[in-house]
Amino acid sequence: MYHSKSYLKNVRVLLTRAVQDSVRIAYRAAFRAQVEKHHGRRIGNAYQQGCSGSYAAVGQQARCCSSGTERPVSWFSPGGEVHFPGAVAAPYTHKLVVEEAAKLLPIPAFRLLNNNGELVDGVDSKSVEEKVSGAVLRKIYDCMVALNVMDSILFSAQRQGRISFYLTSFCEEAAVVASAAALDNHDEVFAQYREQGVLLWRGYTYDDFCQQCCSTRKEPARGHQMPVHYGRKDMHFHTISSTLATQIPHAVGAAYALKLDGKGIAACYFGEGAASEGDFHAAMNFASTLDCPVLFICRNNGYAISTPATEQFRGDGIARRACGYGMDAIRCDGNDALAVYVATNYARDRIVATSRPMLLELLTYRGGHHSTSDDSSQYRSLEEIDYFMRYADPIARLGRFLNVSPAEEQAMRKRERTLVLDALSSAEQEEKEPPLDMFLDVYSSMPPHLIRQRESLRLSLERIEQAKANRASTSPK
Amino acid sequence: MLRYLRVLCLRDWLLDHTVAWRQYARVRRSLPLTVTFTPLQIGLPCASFATRGDRVWSSTIRKRTFSTENESSPSTTDVAPGPAVGDRAQRSTTPSLYPGGGDKLSGSVSNSAGVVKATEETLRQMNLFTAINSALSCALESNPKVLVFGEDVAFGGVFRCTSQLQKRFGRQRVFNTPLTEQGIVGFAAGLAAMGYRPVAEIQFADYIYPAFDQIVNEIAKYRYRSGGQFNCGGVVIRAPYGAVGHGGHYHSQSPEAYFLHTAGIKVVIPRDPFTAKGLLLQSIAEDDPVIFFEPKALYRAAQAEVPLSKYVLPLGRAEIVRPGTDITLVAYGAQVRVLLEAAQVVAREDKIEAEVIDIQTILPWDEATVCESVARTGRCIVSHEAPLTGGVGAEVAARIQEECFLDLESPVMRVCGYDMPFPLVHEKNYLPSAEKVVQCIRDCLNY
């Protein structure tokens, strides 16, 4: 009976298991020893520190364990608890914890000026002057006024049919101009489309704007794209595309490149609607996991065309999301140019110092229609627009702070108006790109099939000309 | 009706006079080819097939002159040991269009000739994944701007294509990304816009669709929309594609036709380890974004002698891998091997000499080489694993019809996957197998 087949089989199984177990134990011990040697201390100690139960200790342990890209050692806990790799810092609790979104306090918005342009309580002018000089603020103010004037004229120009399309930055002037002012002019900017203020700050002229909007051959893309899709290599402003949020991962890639090159940061602008796109998620996660020096600047203006923010998301705006990606965030009153400047400057310095990404959410309001193809009175009341324009106008707020007199502002507006109108009329006179040149820049050099197609267009145009000439010569005089 | 009768009569006459027809065809082909002008062609240097020597752009039979005279071409031996080896004598007698092995078009490197001096030490037996690995390692070595990343590339990749690279070149240059394809490609676009040469990996071509927007709307248009100020020329997206025996819906797809419709990118598919390394290195050097599909069925199956050092094969050039006179077979990637098998069968059983062309670059594809071949043979079959409707075959067939209308003896036929999701248990019946190609060749010749 002892020698029966099943007995032998059992013995074999038991022996195999014993061998397997011993191998496994030996392997684990060797692995642990290796890890211990690598970290230069005993895992048991680190583990015991981590198990003290306090969040701080566990968090610290998690950080020290996951410093760099090493694997956390905390799961090798000889005496007791397992810590799972997906969240090594999580302590255990016997209470059923529901992390309630609604119970989280909303992130406060940073603000330095109140609606009347006075410094808010607790802020003195001395501390402000340390952070930003009066001259810079004045330059920001001038740029905001210029942007406002240009927007008004080009908006009407579209209404008159002089350009095909336009987007204004009404009520968001501070968000774009003050943040651009706080960036280095060599920082790579990836924008959505409502950020012409950045270009204006960096020296893009009315001529450049008007040539682009009139799609002339003088503008960099020679009229290939819709108006407002600006781009300028020497100003480190990447060409805008209509597709929403696609530029966010681009900014992360550029930031990674800048990190390798050891220069500057990348800044990326987008609206709160674009933040619903998958590319936003991809980019946040990439930036955080790959330690990219990138500043995400979200213009949360309350609307994505007709969709109010309440139909866009249920969380506490966009800033709260950054924390979910392990990224720090600042929320700021986007119509307070001073606060935007200070916050952006701070964020930039911090990104340079840590090579970690940050998110800056600028709370603002879309003062104009979404675009010239949109009539926003279809989905929001005139009272609402009026309310924000009256109480939250960023230009007026900074103007009051800088004691700009209404007469001075009017004179400025008048002067800028003439300059924009001149630029517009000269852009209207400018020639368009010759048709055969439209085949350029599809590839770095023209492949054979495109050469053939260009030739076919040339012939076709010739034949049209010929037909016209024939008609002209045969038609009765 | 009358037309139909005429066709029938012509066909019967042809069947009755096969021998005479063959003789006639041979004579006709030895004459200078008729110049077939279409409105699109007039005034173009490439328009006429009569002025063969003067063509500015074209490709021709490129001899693998990198190997010594006594050796047969490594890749062709590998793909189809039978017919290709036998063709060697014939191949070596084929004159090059460009005396001296130079290539008038490709700026960087001409053909493979003269680039690599083959010796025992510089050649290694490689399979496809090691050839890819070797190419990546050459690229990382020679250019500090090259970065390699994607899902699971750090430990060597799920197909081992990036193995040891992180160890050799560091975490900064070879790294894992979070699991998001649109992020991977968007990230690559940003790097390329800053002058880097990112080689991004999409784990399977089946999962490239989340990045479709980034590829089609962003990478492909980056240069055009900025008027040449910015570009994503440095981007290479590598992705394993094609049937693998048991891949089902999402590990078998061949999505190249989706990208064929996208101006601004190049699409490249190698057929063996030798072409894989040369084409991948050229793709990385290229100033246009490239999608590089690797036939995953061949990762381990294909074997060839591959130079250890850096060499490039030009993009936009087809290669005649088996010369023939009776019919032109066009394919790319893993399907080239199927066509070579079919060509071998019809050569043995029907005495039909099929010319097999690997177009290698799907976009922009080498119309000159294919059309010149079809003008010689008078017949053409295009074959690919991807579904028939809207596939690459449709584009190729339409161009041949435009260029070779007077030379065609039978309709251009397509042997492709069926218009359905890639089925798991029916893979064998779904694929355009050698048997199906053989049947189609016979149908063509008997037309």
Side-chain angles (χ1 to χ4, degrees), chain A residues 69 188 190 220-222 224-225 231-233 237-241 243 246 249-250 252-254 256-258 260-261 278-279 282 285-286 289-290 438 440-444 447-449 451-452 455-456 459, chain B residues 39-40 42 44 57 145 147 171-172 175-178 180 182-184 186-187 189-191 193-194 196 213-214 217-218 222-230 262-266 287-288 363-364 367 399:
Chain A
T69 38
E188 298 291 326
F190 292 78
R222 309 186 304 279
H224 292 184
Q225 278 214 87
R232 196 57 188 268
K233 177 113 181 161
F237 190 94
H238 287 250
T239 304
I240 286 164
S241 71
T243 38
T246 46
H250 297 177
V252 180
Y256 192 87
L258 289 167
L260 293 188
D261 294 344
D279 278 329
N285 210 14
F286 264 68
T289 52
L290 296 171
M438 77 184 191
L440 296 172
D441 292 328
V442 179
Y443 291 92
S444 57
H449 69 285
I451 296 176
R452 193 178 61 238
E455 196 54 23
S456 127
L459 283 172
Chain B
L40 285 185
I42 299 168
L44 270 178
W57 64 280
K145 294 280 182 190
L147 305 176
R171 290 173 189 285
Q172 299 270 38
F175 49 93
N176 285 340
T177 66
T180 156
Q182 63 200 93
I184 292 171
F187 181 75
L191 280 166
M194 299 301 293
Y196 275 77
D213 181 38
Q214 283 288 352
N217 276 327
E218 295 298 316
Y222 218 95
R223 183 189 297 277
Y224 192 70
R225 73 168 183 230
S226 68
Q229 292 189 92
F230 298 96
T262 307
I265 54 171
K266 295 188 172 179
D287 283 329
D288 293 306
L363 177 71
E367 299 170 0
R399 279 300 297 154

Side-chain angles (χ1 to χ4, degrees), chain B residues 80-146:
Chain B
V85 174
D87 289 335
R88 185 159 44 83
Q90 199 179 343
R91 284 158 60 85
S92 57
T93 55
T94 314
S96 167
L97 279 191
Y98 309 118
D103 175 342
K104 292 178 187 171
L105 252 201
S106 154
S108 46
V109 180
S110 37
N111 53 30
S112 51
V115 178
V116 179
K117 248 193 170 178
T119 61
E120 287 293 313
E121 306 89 69
T122 55
L123 285 176
R124 283 281 183 288
Q125 194 73 20
M126 290 188 194
N127 55 24
L128 192 76
F129 83 80
T130 36
I132 296 286
N133 184 274
S134 165
L136 291 174
S137 137
C138 281
L140 283 160
E141 222 161 40
S142 60
N143 187 349
K145 294 280 182 190
V146 173

Side-chain angles (χ1 to χ4, degrees), chain A residues 202-215:
Chain A
R202 291 191 173 186
Y204 214 63
T205 63
Y206 293 142
D207 263 323
D208 296 328
F209 283 109
C210 293
Q211 297 283 350
Q212 203 282 336
C213 288
C214 292
S215 316

Side-chain angles (χ1 to χ4, degrees), chain B residues 257-277:
Chain B
Y258 291 113
F259 300 105
L260 174 67
H261 201 57
T262 307
I265 54 171
K266 295 188 172 179
V267 183
V268 178
I269 307 184
R271 69 168 182 281
D272 65 9
F274 178 84
T275 53
K277 182 172 176 183

Side-chain angles (χ1 to χ4, degrees), chain A residues 49-119:
Chain A
Q49 279 167 20
C51 260
S52 61
S54 82
Y55 270 99
V58 176
Q60 192 186 10
Q61 182 220 3
R63 269 197 300 281
C64 79
C65 292
S66 59
S67 63
T69 38
E70 303 302 323
R71 289 185 190 286
V73 290
S74 55
W75 7 302
F76 302 102
S77 44
E81 295 282 29
V82 173
H83 284 273
F84 293 104
V88 280
Y92 288 103
T93 169
H94 65 276
K95 286 179 189 154
L96 183 59
V97 175
V98 176
E99 188 73 4
E100 285 181 70
K103 280 194 180 162
L104 295 172
L105 287 175
I107 296 172
F110 174 66
R111 155 189 274 197
L112 293 172
L113 297 178
N114 65 19
N115 294 343
N116 297 323
E118 298 147 353
L119 287 174

Side-chain angles (χ1 to χ4, degrees), chain A residues 268-335:
Chain A
C268 182
Y269 289 86
F270 52 90
E272 92 284 351
S276 298
E277 292 280 4
D279 278 329
F280 169 84
H281 161 67
M284 293 292 122
N285 210 14
F286 264 68
S288 192
T289 52
L290 296 171
D291 292 313
C292 298
V294 53
L295 176 60
F296 300 105
I297 303 175
C298 177
R299 294 177 294 96
N300 186 347
N301 65 13
Y303 287 93
I305 305 188
S306 74
T307 307
T310 47
E311 290 169 31
Q312 200 66 247
F313 48 75
R314 281 292 166 86
D316 176 23
I318 309 300
R320 176 71 75 192
R321 293 187 201 168
C323 310
Y325 293 105
M327 187 191 305
D328 298 337
I330 296 172
R331 174 173 283 166
C332 180
D333 180 345
N335 284 23

